PDB file of all heavy atoms in Angstrom:
ATOM      1  N   SER A  20     -41.387 133.700 162.956  1.00 98.00           N
ATOM      2  CA  SER A  20     -41.241 133.690 164.480  1.00 98.00           C
ATOM      3  C   SER A  20     -41.990 132.579 164.984  1.00 98.00           C
ATOM      4  O   SER A  20     -43.033 132.008 164.279  1.00 98.00           O
ATOM      5  CB  SER A  20     -41.721 135.090 164.994  1.00 98.00           C
ATOM      6  OG  SER A  20     -43.041 135.298 164.583  1.00 98.00           O
ATOM      7  N   VAL A  21     -41.791 132.246 166.243  1.00 98.00           N
ATOM      8  CA  VAL A  21     -42.518 131.170 166.913  1.00 98.00           C
ATOM      9  C   VAL A  21     -42.926 131.703 168.308  1.00 98.00           C
ATOM     10  O   VAL A  21     -42.161 132.589 168.805  1.00 98.00           O
ATOM     11  CB  VAL A  21     -41.813 129.868 167.033  1.00 98.00           C
ATOM     12  CG1 VAL A  21     -41.554 129.227 165.665  1.00 98.00           C
ATOM     13  CG2 VAL A  21     -40.472 129.993 167.758  1.00 98.00           C
ATOM     14  N   ASN A  67     -50.406 137.347 193.690  1.00 94.00           N
ATOM     15  CA  ASN A  67     -49.368 137.846 194.432  1.00 94.00           C
ATOM     16  C   ASN A  67     -48.249 136.912 194.778  1.00 94.00           C
ATOM     17  O   ASN A  67     -47.075 137.246 194.625  1.00 94.00           O
ATOM     18  CB  ASN A  67     -49.886 138.360 195.849  1.00 94.00           C
ATOM     19  CG  ASN A  67     -49.933 139.867 195.806  1.00 94.00           C
ATOM     20  OD1 ASN A  67     -49.631 140.525 194.876  1.00 94.00           O
ATOM     21  ND2 ASN A  67     -50.431 140.422 196.956  1.00 94.00           N
ATOM     22  N   PHE A 122     -52.278 154.095 174.413  1.00 97.00           N
ATOM     23  CA  PHE A 122     -51.818 153.897 175.806  1.00 97.00           C
ATOM     24  C   PHE A 122     -50.762 152.776 175.932  1.00 97.00           C
ATOM     25  O   PHE A 122     -49.819 152.941 176.561  1.00 97.00           O
ATOM     26  CB  PHE A 122     -53.058 153.321 176.576  1.00 97.00           C
ATOM     27  CG  PHE A 122     -52.784 152.869 177.919  1.00 97.00           C
ATOM     28  CD1 PHE A 122     -52.570 153.822 179.006  1.00 97.00           C
ATOM     29  CD2 PHE A 122     -52.743 151.581 178.313  1.00 97.00           C
ATOM     30  CE1 PHE A 122     -52.249 153.426 180.223  1.00 97.00           C
ATOM     31  CE2 PHE A 122     -52.461 151.181 179.570  1.00 97.00           C
ATOM     32  CZ  PHE A 122     -52.165 152.052 180.544  1.00 97.00           C
ATOM     33  N   ILE A 153     -47.608 156.886 165.728  1.00 98.00           N
ATOM     34  CA  ILE A 153     -47.612 156.267 167.132  1.00 98.00           C
ATOM     35  C   ILE A 153     -46.507 155.289 167.184  1.00 98.00           C
ATOM     36  O   ILE A 153     -46.553 154.227 166.483  1.00 98.00           O
ATOM     37  CB  ILE A 153     -48.959 155.692 167.356  1.00 98.00           C
ATOM     38  CG1 ILE A 153     -50.076 156.732 167.348  1.00 98.00           C
ATOM     39  CG2 ILE A 153     -48.983 155.011 168.815  1.00 98.00           C
ATOM     40  CD1 ILE A 153     -51.513 156.208 167.432  1.00 98.00           C
ATOM     41  N   PRO A 224     -67.281 127.399 168.471  1.00 84.00           N
ATOM     42  CA  PRO A 224     -67.108 127.949 167.210  1.00 84.00           C
ATOM     43  C   PRO A 224     -66.140 127.082 166.219  1.00 84.00           C
ATOM     44  O   PRO A 224     -65.304 126.363 166.655  1.00 84.00           O
ATOM     45  CB  PRO A 224     -66.308 129.289 167.332  1.00 84.00           C
ATOM     46  CG  PRO A 224     -66.475 129.520 168.783  1.00 84.00           C
ATOM     47  CD  PRO A 224     -66.681 128.169 169.511  1.00 84.00           C
ATOM     48  N   VAL A 290     -55.320 118.416 158.234  1.00 96.00           N
ATOM     49  CA  VAL A 290     -54.854 118.429 159.543  1.00 96.00           C
ATOM     50  C   VAL A 290     -56.022 118.885 160.540  1.00 96.00           C
ATOM     51  O   VAL A 290     -57.033 119.277 160.106  1.00 96.00           O
ATOM     52  CB  VAL A 290     -53.562 119.306 159.802  1.00 96.00           C
ATOM     53  CG1 VAL A 290     -52.442 118.629 159.027  1.00 96.00           C
ATOM     54  CG2 VAL A 290     -53.773 120.637 159.315  1.00 96.00           C
TER      55      VAL A 290
END
Side-chain angles (χ1 to χ4, degrees):
S20 60
V21 297
N67 253 1
F122 174 76
I153 301 173
V290 291

